[in-house]
């Protein structure tokens, strides 16, 4: 298994200034992980700091820790030309990082259509926007992806439909093994539906409860989720990782988002994942 780490795991340390991207790369190089994915998410930082991108790409090459995926926010519900241009410029950042995969959202994380008609009309514009982004990605030799993420473009059937509708050979999925729970989908169904159209895989674990207090995410099925160390939660990671193991060329990245202390929780998660796949 090609196991790596998402910089999202270090978001609190990076936000506080305790670590920067160079420090994250150094940590990954000293860990069991083999690669890094860079999560810009809602920020434009890397668009505005080309020197940071240049230095990180150089350092990654020197360490032998490839940056395989670059993740950004996005909103293609109206296929707005300005937003498509921004995503194309973010693709250029991915190219400068040396990433061969690019993941963008198509709507704000919390947005959900109000009725089937709104989904269908929005879907048409999302397809248009994804094609425009994927075509620029193809020019750069990059695979453009959408993640099963949030409350709109989530669930295996919706993403499979989007990939089919966009109809570009370089448009695929960044498959998150846990996120289907947000819309009430069993993780095994999500993985089985999307694995054949996946370009990369994200691993996370959740505690799952029928009732909970503050800090837990309520799903569309009425369950409550709380991120935790991989292997400490209720997600069947052993079964899911066995399924992912049938596609050994897919890069697999840990995305820790629990309350436990980092980077200890990240190290524990990596060791647990390797143990579960029998590679420890």
């Amino acid at each position: 298994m090609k196991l790596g780490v998402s910089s999202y795991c270090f978001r609190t340390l990076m936000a506080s200034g305790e670590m920067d991207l160079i420090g994250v790369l150094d940590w990954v190089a000293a860990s069991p992980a083999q690669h890094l994915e860079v999560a810009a998410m809602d920020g434009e930082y890397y668009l505005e700091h080309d020197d940071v991108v240049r230095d990180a790409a150089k350092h990654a090459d020197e360490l032998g820790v490839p940056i395989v995926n670059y993740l950004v926010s996005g909103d293609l519900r109206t296929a707005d030309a300005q937003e498509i241009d921004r995503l194309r410029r973010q693709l250029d950042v991915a190219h400068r990082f040396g990433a061969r995969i690019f993941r963008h959202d198509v709507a704000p994380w919390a947005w959900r259509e109000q009725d089937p008609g709104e989904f269908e009309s929005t879907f048409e514009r999302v397809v248009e926007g994804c094609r425009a982004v994927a075509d620029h990605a193809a020019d750069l030799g990059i695979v453009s992806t959408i993640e099963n993420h949030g409350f709109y473009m989530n669930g295996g059937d919706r993403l499979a439909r989007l990939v089919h509708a966009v109809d570009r050979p370089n448009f695929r999925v960044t498959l998150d093994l846990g996120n289907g729970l947000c819309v009430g989908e069993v993780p095994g169904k999500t993985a089985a539906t999307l694995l054949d159209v996946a370009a990369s895989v994200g691993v996370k674990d959740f505690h799952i409860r029928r009732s909970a207090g503050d800090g837990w995410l309520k799903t569309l099925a009425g369950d409550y989720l709380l991120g935790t160390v991989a292997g400490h939660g209720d997600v069947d990671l052993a079964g899911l990782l066995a399924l992912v193991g049938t596609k050994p060329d897919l890069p697999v990245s840990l995305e820790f988002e629990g309350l436990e202390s980092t980077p200890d929780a990240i190290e524990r998660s990596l060791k647990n994942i390797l143990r579960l796949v029998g590679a420890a």
Side-chain angles (χ1 to χ4, degrees), residues 64 144 233:
S144 179

Side-chain angles (χ1 to χ4, degrees), residues 7 28 34 59 64 69 114 120 159 180 185 192 204 209 218 225 228-230 236 243 248 251 273-274 276:
S7 69
V28 173
Q34 299 175 320
H59 196 59
N69 197 359
Q114 296 303 303
E120 293 300 331
L159 270 80
E185 184 165 273
K204 63 163 62 94
R209 300 291 182 270
K218 187 176 183 180
L225 307 179
T228 188
V229 171
D236 178 21
L243 181 61
I273 291 169
L274 290 171
L276 289 170

Side-chain angles (χ1 to χ4, degrees), residues 230-249:
H232 286 189
D234 298 308
V235 176
D236 178 21
L237 287 185
L240 292 169
L241 290 169
L243 181 61
V244 171
T246 64
K247 303 286 185 178
D249 291 334

Side-chain angles (χ1 to χ4, degrees), residues 143-156:
V143 175
S144 179
T145 72
I146 173 68
E147 182 179 345
N148 53 312
H149 181 65
F151 291 96
Y152 165 58
M153 197 54 66
N154 201 344

